[in-house]
Amino acid sequence: MEALLPIGVLFILFFLNIPIAFALMGASLFYFIFINTSMPIQMVIQQFVTAVESFPYLAVPFFIMVGSVMNHSGISKALMDFADVLVGHTKGGLAQVNVLLSALMGGISGSANADAAMQSKILVPEMERKGFSRPFSAAITAASSAISPVIPPGTNLILYALIANVSVGSMFLAAYMPGILMALALMITVHIISVRRNYQPSREKMSSPMAIFKQFIVSVWALFIPFAIIMGMRFGIFTPTEAGGIAVVFAAIVGFVVYKKLKIEHIPLILMDTVKSTGAVMAIIASAKVFGYYLTLERIPQMITEFLVNMTDSPFVLLMVINILLLFIGMFIEGGAALVILAPLLVPAVKMFGVDPIHFGMIFIVNIMVGGLTPPFGSMMFTVCSIVNVKLEDFIKEVWPFIVALIAVLLLVTYSEGVALFTLNLFS
């Protein structure tokens, strides 16, 4: 039982609202100072430093920078206009645009909270002007942001691939189907609610094929970025890290030359955004590596695997238990941190039951995104409510249909490997 005390310390620190990186390091230091006193403290520092000395991790700041470049370059506006010509004529037009924009843009922003913050500032005021209630607008904005880290090339896909030792390109290809299913589920839910409440379209009539084609030509540069990244990696033209660097250069050229919104004065802001976001992610990764070192020394991953194996011999039951666990954890811990902490513990267990690790990656990432939307401490919930000034109780009343829709997708992805890996198998 003494070996499990650092896990208890970790959750206490979480509940005290200590930043995740500091909570992980605090729990680790508790172990190495008070429990395993034979280990020199220099080993802890060494684990912290070597955790980020990995070439593949260079992909993370590059993809974070792509999202920042997009926000300053007019690419986001081009994507929103394209989403509007496609679905603006439907019931609840701007709410549908909200969902589709997350699907089109999320793969490049790569962050649910970044997507939620951006759309809270851009779309929620406009939705209110069009007659949508503010709590509903906040709820669909938070719910649609759950798509962002699922559509490639989200940084969570890269982190899981590195942790589970699977191909980043395969993770990217596989993630399209779960992301598309999430978008469809939310759009169907929006339609049902909009019909009942008579929420109006944002466009008077369906766009003509020519209007759609013209907007596609304008937006094609933005749409081309994720496609080029994935195809390039799939065919071995470049590595994930090289893909990130190429994406930054391409997005910058599009911003400077095509849309002409990106200015020289934006470069310091982009660099600052990238450094801040990368620093936060890398601090979590490094602290999680130290915490993982403690887990390895105490054989806790093996203990969890043995417990799950002894509890059931059914992959169906195992995945249900893991889903419930992840949904609960996701309510309290931000998605990336949950991934870094829990994936090393759970991947060995599911492999023993014959579950494909890429399939499990889809389950894991969809699950923690749903958890990030769910009360009491879902990170996207707090991001949106704080920006648009909505009471939590009003938000919760509006968000539950979207949570139900996303859980339905999670169950489909969990129990149908063919659906979860459809796009991967299609291009294999």
Side-chain angles (χ1 to χ4, degrees), residues 116-196:
M118 182 198 72
Q119 294 188 198
S120 295
K121 294 171 184 174
I122 295 173
L123 277 175
V124 171
E126 188 64 25
M127 288 178 71
E128 279 196 272
R129 282 193 288 272
K130 293 287 185 179
F132 294 87
S133 73
R134 187 181 295 185
F136 173 83
S137 302
I140 187 56
T141 299
S144 71
S145 71
I147 304 170
S148 300
V150 179
I151 299 284
T155 51
N156 282 350
L157 298 170
I158 301 170
L159 292 178
Y160 179 87
L162 296 173
I163 291 167
N165 196 28
V166 296
S167 162
V168 175
S170 296
M171 283 294 294
F172 280 5
L173 266 179
Y176 272 109
M177 182 51 67
I180 291 168
L181 289 173
M182 291 169 75
L184 287 174
L186 291 179
M187 292 177 84
I188 291 169
T189 308
V190 165
H191 179 77
I192 293 169
I193 294 172
S194 298
V195 168
R196 289 179 178 174

Side-chain angles (χ1 to χ4, degrees), residues 97-112:
V97 170
N98 197 319
V99 177
L100 189 56
L101 179 59
S102 286
L104 292 174
M105 155 135 212
I108 306 172
S109 73
S111 163

Side-chain angles (χ1 to χ4, degrees), residues 308-353:
L308 292 173
V309 168
N310 292 332
M311 183 185 68
T312 179
D313 57 2
S314 167
F316 183 97
V317 174
L318 174 72
L319 290 175
M320 181 60 73
V321 170
I322 289 176
N323 268 329
I324 293 170
L325 170 68
L326 291 178
L327 281 172
F328 177 76
I329 294 293
M331 295 178 190
F332 300 95
I333 304 176
E334 189 271 330
L339 178 66
V340 172
I341 297 166
L342 295 175
L345 303 180
L346 297 176
V347 170
V350 299
K351 280 184 177 179
M352 287 193 65
F353 281 79

Side-chain angles (χ1 to χ4, degrees), residues 244-283:
I246 290 167
V248 170
V249 173
F250 183 80
I253 291 171
V254 170
F256 278 120
V257 179
V258 180
Y259 298 136
K260 299 179 180 178
K261 300 286 187 181
L262 192 62
K263 307 296 181 185
I264 295 294
E265 55 265 28
H266 291 146
I267 293 177
L269 298 174
I270 290 168
L271 292 174
M272 187 63 70
D273 286 345
T274 303
V275 169
K276 286 181 178 177
S277 299
T278 302
V281 171
M282 288 303 176

